[in-house]
Amino acid sequence: MTGVQTCALPIFVELKARFDEDNNITWARELEAAGVHVVYGLLGLKTHCKCLLVVRREEDGIRRYLHLATGNYNPTTARIYQDFGLLTCNPDMADDITTLFNILTGFSDFPEWKKVAVAPNSLLAKIIDLVHRERDLARAGKPGRIIAKLNSIVDETAIRALYEASCAGVKIDLICRGICCLRPGIPDVSENIRVHSVVGRYLEHSRVFYFGNDGHPEVWLSSADWMPRNFYRRIELMFPIESPELKMRIIERTLGFNLEDNVKRRELQPSGAWIRVPPGKKPFNVQETLMKVLTENSPFSELTIGRAAKFILLREDRDDFGRIIKKKN
């Protein structure tokens, strides 16, 4: 690059950010006073998606870099929340996120998405379709499998879909740290559903959804819990992990490790009570294990460094981002 070009772009500020409203209002007023075009999102919808789009002029043309996350861009909570961030240059995903930013600034309407699902337009429908696919596989005599890691499960439509899948024979594990309105283990209703909770040093905050898909597993990450407010009253984002390597790391080292934990994990009973999982002969603490993996020999990405080590970064396009790092250094 021979130089840096600047242009006037709108700055998006979410005024409804919990515990941060006063700071955001102050920032918005200072930006407007300085002549910046401040955008506040869509009326009646809180913007809760976490995404970053960088458009870069390079020697071979324009390239778009994306960072999509399950957690907030907040330097304080990033140190104590367990979240995922995906770095990618996928063109179809870049088209989707470009359109999403156009929606937030009022320049576009909801389209047919190429890769992602967005609330309140398509997120719930996509989740229900994925759950129903596992249900239909089980009804056809094939194995159905769902694992979902999230903070809360409240939405009635999603819960009914999970009950239907359970009745069809789908094996379902839900790793739900907070509120769970679903009751597992009820005969002829939810006997194939188990609900787990892990509460430890770090707040388990990532939303990760696994669907077996008859031996061709799909993994999705999201900013949204399964609650009415996320599906109907917020701008939320769910995006797929398509790299086989990254997909398997999430399945094995996030979902698998959480289900193996016998130190901090608890299981929800049909009565609504939580009981601690009996410790095994060899204690296994998912958070301590992940910290050891990330700090001693991080296989996720060399970008997982320093104080942000707990915010696990996944990089799909190694060649593209490796080139940027070399130029910077």
Side-chain angles (χ1 to χ4, degrees):
M1 296 179 66
T2 57
V4 177
Q5 295 184 354
T6 61
C7 60
L9 293 175
I11 299 297
F12 181 88
V13 178
E14 173 52 72
L15 296 183
K16 294 183 179 180
R18 187 166 55 171
F19 308 128
D20 235 5
E21 290 89 346
D22 290 342
N23 288 336
N24 287 357
I25 291 172
T26 300
W27 275 111
R29 287 175 175 170
E30 290 184 6
L31 288 166
E32 288 181 331
V36 176
H37 177 201
V38 179
V39 177
Y40 297 99
L42 302 182
L43 182 65
L45 295 174
K46 176 178 178 177
T47 303
H48 194 249
C49 57
K50 295 81 171 64
C51 51
L52 173 68
L53 170 65
V54 176
V55 182
R56 198 168 187 268
R57 186 188 301 277
E58 299 183 352
E59 295 173 355
D60 56 350
I62 299 295
R63 187 181 298 272
R64 290 172 295 178
Y65 295 88
L66 302 177
H67 181 268
L68 311 177
T70 65
N72 300 331
Y73 294 128
N74 184 303
T76 301
T77 59
R79 299 182 186 181
I80 57 175
Y81 286 16
Q82 184 275 322
D83 275 298
F84 278 107
L86 173 69
L87 291 169
T88 182
C89 290
N90 182 286
D92 288 338
M93 207 172 291
D95 286 345
D96 283 345
I97 301 306
T98 300
T99 300
L100 177 58
F101 276 110
N102 287 336
I103 290 172
L104 293 174
T105 52
F107 297 125
S108 180
D109 199 358
F110 288 100
E112 291 291 328
W113 303 99
K114 296 179 179 180
K115 292 286 186 180
V116 307
V118 177
N121 164 248
S122 62
L123 179 54
L124 177 59
K126 182 63 177 180
I127 289 172
I128 299 303
D129 285 345
L130 293 168
V131 173
H132 282 174
R133 185 181 62 191
E134 298 302 311
R135 176 201 64 187
D136 295 341
L137 286 170
R139 287 175 177 175
K142 299 179 180 180
R145 189 73 169 104
I146 297 172
I147 308 174
K149 179 182 180 295
L150 64 178
N151 297 309
S152 301
I153 304 172
V154 176
D155 184 75
E156 182 178 344
T157 302
I159 291 173
R160 287 185 180 275
L162 292 171
Y163 284 159
E164 286 183 15
S166 172
C167 290
V170 179
K171 301 298 181 182
I172 303 172
D173 280 290
L174 304 174
I175 305 164
C176 182
R177 175 184 56 82
I179 301 170
C180 183
C181 295
L182 177 151
R183 291 293 180 92
I186 300 175
D188 300 323
V189 177
S190 58
E191 59 191 56
N192 288 310
I193 303 177
R194 297 191 306 165
V195 179
H196 318 261
S197 176
V198 175
V199 178
R201 175 180 176 182
Y202 294 109
L203 188 144
E204 294 283 341
H205 191 256
S206 59
R207 292 89 168 187
V208 183
F209 312 135
Y210 166 89
F211 300 92
N213 192 27
D214 195 21
H216 305 281
E218 291 188 12
V219 172
W220 295 75
L221 304 183
S222 181
S223 60
D225 293 308
W226 291 359
M227 305 178 72
R229 70 183 187 187
N230 299 97
F231 290 143
Y232 307 117
R233 301 194 297 274
R234 292 182 174 183
I235 302 291
E236 300 276 15
L237 178 66
M238 184 173 77
F239 51 95
I241 299 297
E242 297 184 329
S243 162
E245 180 185 3
L246 298 182
K247 191 184 302 184
M248 288 309 301
R249 286 176 182 168
I250 293 173
I251 293 171
E252 294 174 358
R253 300 186 179 185
T254 295
L255 301 179
F257 280 7
N258 269 275
L259 296 177
E260 290 180 30
D261 189 298
N262 56 18
V263 177
K264 295 294 185 179
R265 182 165 57 93
R266 289 166 171 78
E267 287 193 3
L268 181 62
Q269 304 303 297
S271 64
W274 290 91
I275 64 169
R276 196 160 192 163
V277 173
K281 294 181 180 180
K282 185 177 180 180
F284 184 85
N285 184 315
V286 57
Q287 294 191 355
E288 289 184 0
T289 301
L290 284 175
M291 280 299 299
K292 184 177 181 180
V293 168
L294 290 171
T295 56
E296 293 184 1
N297 183 24
S298 172
F300 290 90
S301 166
E302 59 265 9
L303 296 181
T304 307
I305 57 175
R307 294 185 176 181
K310 191 211 50 60
F311 199 110
I312 303 171
L313 287 168
L314 307 169
R315 193 176 74 235
E316 280 193 338
D317 310 281
R318 294 183 180 273
D319 292 339
D320 291 328
F321 286 98
R323 178 159 46 84
I324 297 301
I325 294 170
K326 290 179 181 178
K327 283 187 176 182
K328 183 178 179 181
N329 293 336

